[in-house]
Amino acid sequence: VSSSGANREGRRRRAPRGTLNPDVIVKAAMAVLDTDGLEALTMQRLADDLGVQRMSLYTHFREKDAILQAVGAELLARLELPDTADSDIDLLRQISRAHFRLLVDHPVLLQLDSILSNTSPNDPIGEAIFGCLQRLGIDHRRAVGLAATLARFVIGAATVYPARRAWDEDPDYWSRLHRRLAALPPETYPYTHELTREFPVYTQIEAFEFGLETLLDGIAAAAGLTREDS
Amino acid sequence: VSSSGANREGRRRRAPRGTLNPDVIVKAAMAVLDTDGLEALTMQRLADDLGVQRMSLYTHFREKDAILQAVGAELLARLELPDTADSDIDLLRQISRAHFRLLVDHPVLLQLDSILSNTSPNDPIGEAIFGCLQRLGIDHRRAVGLAATLARFVIGAATVYPARRAWDEDPDYWSRLHRRLAALPPETYPYTHELTREFPVYTQIEAFEFGLETLLDGIAAAAGLTREDS
DNA sequence: ACCTGAACACCGTTCAAGT
DNA sequence: ACCTGAACACCGTTCAAGT
């Protein structure tokens, strides 16, 4: 399904000398990841899309994993964080949404230890979040704890997202689930069963927003605020 | 490095007829996962450990992924949830800790869509959590939202854990990070830089516990409690 | 019914060329 | 310096045997 026309014309035996460089490889890799996901990203597939032989890639990257790392770095570098908001709480909300979107749009990031370990001091998300928390007058120890909590929630929501994406799109999903839960034996699952009497439905986005607001409430409380925002 | 003695004695050409069944295969797979992780779990490795040829495994499982699914189901079935606690808030704490431990001890679970999608009505963790929330008098809609938030936080903390495990064990990690952060340009990273003046250190467990308490505070507030527990 | 050997279509990567 | 063919040591899996 490779749509790149690079290798279509005239079946040339050898690609000209300038065709490859780290940048085009990273971009081709990002295209594959966006359209077909991580399991489709193969040295062969990448080479095909670039109209080149498999081995040529190794002139520019020592190994496949190095390409993945470069993709991760590029995605982080491209990330644009919101810089204006109604308040610091609102800014935290917008930053967290951007973080969530980034991870949902590019699930590879969740597979890169280098990203998850986040040892990189060059971390714009962390900087922006610490900015909010410090301006809110929250002490350092609490600020680090709250930032870590927020990040873990966002990462968890994004981790869960792909597996549950179908729920949002299948209109019958919830009624089927409702029926299955209702069929549970009330003796062993009394509470889950009780839930079906009045059954709340959340999309993945709504579940994320609910959790985000819960955490923002906690942060506002830690800052001694009475929740002044929309 | 296969330590199983099953294929050591007498170099028998063919394994006797009773050697294999789904159960021993799942157990051998769990042993590999525990000691060497997911990337070590190979049909070859599994067969070697069981003293059997690679292809014999296909008599009992249609494909490798089916083995992984069975491992996930078995791990969930084995999970023992705490059933006594000081209060419902404390029970929520203990359940979440058990959930976190499960995912940290068995990171495979984070790779199984069937687990993350959690469509299975046979979900003891969900049942226990909804029990607490309902006894706390929290309405259904809020209860589902809070349970989802708690689960996302736990999953995020577990996702992040392996990449950061080394931090807890390397005594020099924090001083190195501290120096690197301090070396950041204060113009572009003022807040991260400021953080280094008084630099809070969290182990991964401490970060998890901090976030858990933050969420439990939110739940207690939703229940109209004044936080009555230890 | 259960275990297996040969073979297939893939992986990523090494290494010695080619230009 | 950059592109490549052949070859290697792996994957998971199919299929036709063997017992």
Side-chain angles (χ1 to χ4, degrees):
Chain A
V1 199
S2 156
S3 58
S4 159
N7 52 358
R8 202 171 300 165
E9 51 178 85
R11 57 157 72 238
R12 78 159 59 83
R13 273 264 166 270
R14 198 184 181 92
R17 223 177 163 80
T19 32
L20 242 43
N21 62 60
D23 202 52
V24 296
I25 294 176
V26 166
K27 264 162 193 143
M30 285 174 52
V32 174
L33 290 168
D34 279 352
T35 57
D36 297 322
L38 182 56
E39 77 287 357
L41 186 64
T42 286
M43 297 304 268
Q44 186 65 259
R45 163 71 184 272
L46 214 40
D48 288 346
D49 284 4
L50 288 163
V52 119
Q53 291 302 318
R54 200 149 110 266
M55 294 315 307
S56 311
L57 301 167
Y58 288 87
T59 313
H60 304 272
F61 287 98
R62 242 189 68 262
E63 52 185 359
K64 184 186 173 183
D65 192 59
I67 300 179
L68 246 27
Q69 304 294 337
V71 167
E74 173 69 15
L75 285 172
L76 278 197
R78 279 191 192 182
L79 175 65
E80 289 184 32
L81 287 177
D83 51 354
T84 63
D86 298 345
S87 64
D88 282 315
I89 292 287
D90 188 49
L91 189 50
L92 280 174
R93 175 163 38 230
Q94 294 197 39
I95 294 165
S96 298
R97 282 179 183 153
H99 191 189
F100 179 62
R101 265 282 142 239
L102 176 73
L103 296 180
V104 161
D105 289 342
H106 308 288
V108 223
L109 294 172
L110 291 168
Q111 313 266 24
L112 297 176
D113 274 12
S114 58
I115 303 294
L116 290 180
S117 81
N118 199 27
T119 266
S120 150
N122 180 8
D123 175 11
I125 299 180
E127 169 67 13
I129 285 183
F130 286 128
C132 294
L133 295 173
Q134 284 177 35
R135 283 192 302 273
L136 284 166
I138 295 175
D139 66 276
H140 286 184
R141 175 149 195 89
R142 222 176 174 71
V144 170
L146 289 171
T149 303
L150 209 46
R152 278 159 177 74
F153 168 72
V154 169
I155 289 169
T159 300
V160 141
Y161 191 88
R164 306 192 186 189
R165 190 168 218 158
W167 303 10
D168 295 358
E169 282 141 23
D170 179 359
D172 285 338
Y173 174 82
W174 289 100
S175 58
R176 279 206 312 275
L177 179 59
H178 186 273
R179 253 169 314 175
R180 271 201 302 163
L181 293 185
L184 282 178
E187 313 86 60
T188 45
Y189 289 94
Y191 296 103
T192 306
H193 194 268
E194 157 66 19
L195 215 54
T196 60
R197 280 204 316 115
E198 194 198 324
F199 194 53
V201 171
Y202 284 86
T203 65
Q204 290 304 300
I205 302 295
E206 287 166 349
F208 171 74
E209 290 289 333
F210 180 95
L212 180 55
E213 293 309 314
T214 302
L215 286 170
L216 291 177
D217 282 346
I219 293 173
L225 296 183
T226 49
R227 206 66 155 88
E228 85 289 37
D229 47 288
S230 60
Chain B
V1 199
S2 156
S3 58
S4 159
N7 53 356
R8 204 171 300 162
E9 52 177 83
R11 58 157 71 240
R12 78 159 57 83
R13 276 259 167 271
R14 197 185 182 93
R17 219 171 165 87
T19 31
L20 242 44
N21 61 62
D23 201 52
V24 296
I25 294 176
V26 166
K27 270 172 187 135
M30 287 176 53
V32 174
L33 290 168
D34 280 352
T35 58
D36 296 320
L38 182 57
E39 78 286 356
L41 186 65
T42 285
M43 296 304 267
Q44 186 64 260
R45 164 70 184 272
L46 213 41
D48 288 347
D49 284 5
L50 289 162
V52 120
Q53 290 302 321
R54 196 147 115 268
M55 291 318 305
S56 311
L57 300 167
Y58 288 87
T59 312
H60 304 273
F61 288 96
R62 240 188 69 262
E63 52 185 357
K64 184 187 173 183
D65 192 58
I67 300 179
L68 246 26
Q69 304 294 339
V71 167
E74 173 69 17
L75 286 172
L76 278 197
R78 280 191 192 181
L79 176 64
E80 290 186 29
L81 287 177
D83 51 354
T84 64
D86 298 346
S87 64
D88 282 315
I89 292 287
D90 188 47
L91 189 51
L92 281 174
R93 172 159 45 227
Q94 294 196 40
I95 294 165
S96 299
R97 282 179 183 154
H99 193 189
F100 179 62
R101 264 283 141 239
L102 176 72
L103 296 180
V104 161
D105 289 343
H106 307 287
V108 224
L109 294 173
L110 291 168
Q111 313 266 22
L112 297 177
D113 273 12
S114 57
I115 303 294
L116 290 180
S117 79
N118 200 28
T119 265
S120 152
N122 179 9
D123 174 11
I125 299 180
E127 169 67 13
I129 286 182
F130 286 128
C132 293
L133 295 173
Q134 284 178 36
R135 283 191 302 272
L136 284 165
I138 295 175
D139 66 278
H140 287 184
R141 174 149 196 91
R142 224 179 173 70
V144 169
L146 289 172
T149 304
L150 209 46
R152 279 159 176 75
F153 168 73
V154 168
I155 289 169
T159 300
V160 141
Y161 191 89
R164 308 191 185 188
R165 189 168 218 157
W167 302 10
D168 296 358
E169 283 142 20
D170 179 1
D172 285 338
Y173 174 82
W174 289 100
S175 57
R176 280 205 312 275
L177 178 59
H178 186 273
R179 254 169 314 177
R180 272 200 303 164
L181 293 186
L184 284 178
E187 313 85 62
T188 45
Y189 290 94
Y191 296 104
T192 306
H193 194 267
E194 157 66 17
L195 215 55
T196 61
R197 281 203 316 112
E198 193 199 326
F199 195 54
V201 171
Y202 284 87
T203 64
Q204 289 306 299
I205 302 295
E206 286 165 349
F208 170 73
E209 290 289 333
F210 180 94
L212 180 56
E213 292 309 314
T214 301
L215 286 171
L216 291 177
D217 282 346
I219 292 173
L225 295 182
T226 50
R227 204 71 154 88
E228 84 291 35
D229 47 290
S230 63

